[in-house]
Amino acid sequence: MSPLSRRALLAGASGTALALTLPSSASAQEVAYAAFRLVRARPGEPGQPEITLPEGYEFVPGAKYHVGSRAEYYSFVRGPANPAGILVAVRWPGVAVSDVVHMDTRLRVERDPSDRSRFTFVLPVTLPTADANQPTIQIWSHPDRSEGMYLKLDHNDPDRVAGPWLTVPWPGNAARSQLHQLIATHAILLDSGLKDTAAAKGHRWFLAGFETNNTLHTDNPPHWHISYNSGADFDSPTHNTHFWLNSGAENFYNGMDVTGLGRLKHYVGDPARIFDFMGDANDGRGDLVATVTIRTDGGLDIAPPSGPGYAVAAGRDGTLIEEVTVLRGGEPWLRVTTEDRYKVGVLTVQVLGLRDASESRVRVMRYDRLTGVLL
């Protein structure tokens, strides 16, 4: 085994130093990728452990693939596909590691009885790209992946910030408000029939927030999405909204990426029209699905082609930080608030029916705090 192939990943190592040599027998088709996340027992000053890989495997070059925060450290490797896994050794003096995460799984950790700072784990190497490993480094929950809908909730922890988020104040207001607004929008899409209409066409809505730790998807400034896929996924023609949030958690800009048209820019009062890409109407964009317009209170108007209009509006304090009010036909319909206890993995959603008390509900979503998987 060559010294280069066994060298540890050390703090400050360059991308060139990280690039080990793959076996000459490994073709491009055989190369696979894997990522792992080391979760610290207690947050502290960001650091970088010593990591040793077996012969024939290398660290993916580039700083964005080797990232430390107060709560964790993650890294990406590549080499010949190995579903059974490769043995990775870690030594991190002075730092206690509680868990190792790969994709949605906590890997088994073997401690070295002769060295308290050292441990090993077996890492499956199977994925075709580094990007396919994003679930390893991101804590997502998916409370609704039914036909016509994909709702993704992002759990953001200030101890996990990375990339551009290290250079700006923690966006706590936006991180909280995005969850209120996502839950409110989900309720609108169900009540209006827009979800069912999409499902009947083989289409789907995609609702998602922003991430503050994923250097593969920097997602800065804070924003959230109401996207429409004219098909089963993002490989289909898509209207992908990006609602930027200011420090007061108000939507102030919508950059909507439309397949074939690029980014269309919308500000307060500008209607953003979403079409289904079926047929030749509207210059080939198909029939109108919905119109979304940023309100003067920082919320959104969501108008189906027919029937009552809806809105995600400010709460009782005039902001969208503590709660949001959902309007139907211009009248208050629901009050929505959320509380994400990301340190323990509990998201509480409270919906109050403002017209009909029977529409009130409380849902407590318990999730794995390290993966986001709902329990």
Side-chain angles (χ1 to χ4, degrees):
M1 189 171 292
S2 70
L4 181 61
S5 64
R6 293 289 294 174
R7 72 176 296 173
L9 173 60
L10 302 175
S14 69
T16 301
L18 297 178
L20 312 185
T21 304
L22 292 176
S24 58
S25 60
S27 68
Q29 290 74 28
E30 294 172 324
V31 174
Y33 293 78
F36 58 88
R37 197 167 95 238
L38 309 179
V39 181
R40 299 169 61 149
R42 293 172 298 279
E45 187 66 24
Q48 192 166 15
E50 302 169 5
I51 304 171
T52 306
L53 303 178
E55 181 78 26
Y57 291 85
E58 66 174 354
F59 299 102
V60 176
K64 71 178 182 179
Y65 295 109
H66 311 284
V67 178
S69 65
R70 287 181 49 79
E72 61 193 24
Y73 180 86
Y74 60 75
S75 188
F76 288 71
V77 304
R78 66 188 178 190
N82 191 333
I86 62 172
L87 188 66
V88 178
V90 177
R91 190 171 187 275
W92 203 346
V95 175
V97 173
S98 63
D99 295 273
V100 178
V101 175
H102 169 64
M103 299 300 281
D104 288 337
T105 303
R106 299 187 190 210
L107 300 179
R108 180 177 179 179
V109 176
E110 296 288 345
R111 308 287 176 178
D112 186 339
S114 64
D115 185 347
R116 296 179 58 185
S117 298
R118 185 179 183 277
F119 59 89
T120 61
F121 57 90
V122 175
L123 176 69
V125 183
T126 61
L127 296 174
T129 64
D131 195 63
N133 284 273
Q134 286 197 49
T136 297
I137 62 177
Q138 191 58 48
I139 300 178
W140 294 320
S141 294
H142 305 95
D144 187 356
R145 295 187 69 172
S146 59
E147 290 196 13
M149 177 63 63
Y150 185 164
L151 172 61
K152 179 172 75 70
L153 304 179
D154 301 89
H155 305 287
N156 290 297
D157 180 347
D159 282 328
R160 299 180 67 237
V161 294
W165 299 99
L166 292 170
T167 62
V168 297
W170 168 247
N173 288 341
R176 184 175 183 190
S177 179
Q178 67 166 344
L179 292 173
H180 308 333
Q181 297 193 65
L182 285 166
I183 296 299
T185 301
H186 181 254
I188 289 171
L189 295 179
L190 266 60
D191 187 76
S192 64
L194 288 173
K195 172 190 179 295
D196 290 341
T197 299
K201 298 176 181 179
H203 297 177
R204 73 168 189 181
W205 292 93
F206 177 78
L207 305 179
F210 67 93
E211 310 150 356
T212 54
N213 73 297
N214 186 347
T215 53
L216 273 63
H217 183 210
T218 50
D219 238 7
N220 181 268
H223 62 272
W224 62 290
H225 309 268
I226 304 175
S227 299
Y228 187 84
N229 303 138
S230 296
D233 51 38
F234 275 107
D235 289 333
S236 312
T238 292
H239 288 69
N240 185 19
T241 66
H242 298 73
F243 295 107
W244 289 18
L245 298 164
N246 61 23
S247 60
E250 298 170 334
N251 301 287
F252 68 93
Y253 164 73
N254 169 21
M256 184 168 68
D257 294 337
V258 181
T259 300
L261 296 178
R263 173 155 293 192
L264 307 182
K265 300 179 179 180
H266 307 85
Y267 298 89
V268 175
D270 297 337
R273 296 181 177 87
I274 297 172
F275 300 89
D276 65 5
F277 281 116
M278 297 179 69
D280 298 326
N282 297 298
D283 297 322
R285 289 173 68 185
D287 294 328
L288 181 66
V289 171
T291 303
V292 184
T293 307
I294 300 175
R295 297 164 51 91
T296 56
D297 64 2
L300 300 176
D301 287 327
I302 301 175
S306 60
Y310 294 79
V312 180
R316 288 168 292 180
D317 65 353
T319 77
L320 294 92
I321 299 172
E322 299 297 326
E323 64 184 33
V324 297
T325 302
V326 185
L327 309 180
R328 183 173 63 186
E331 298 295 328
W333 170 42
L334 303 174
R335 181 174 300 137
V336 175
T337 186
T338 63
E339 180 184 11
D340 191 9
R341 298 170 61 198
Y342 44 79
K343 293 293 188 183
V344 295
V346 177
L347 173 62
T348 303
V349 175
Q350 298 187 59
V351 177
L352 177 65
L354 301 178
R355 298 185 187 179
D356 183 347
S358 68
E359 295 182 302
S360 299
R361 60 188 182 276
V362 176
R363 181 180 180 185
V364 179
M365 300 184 201
R366 301 185 185 278
Y367 60 91
D368 185 322
R369 66 180 183 86
L370 301 184
T371 67
V373 173
L374 293 171
L375 305 177

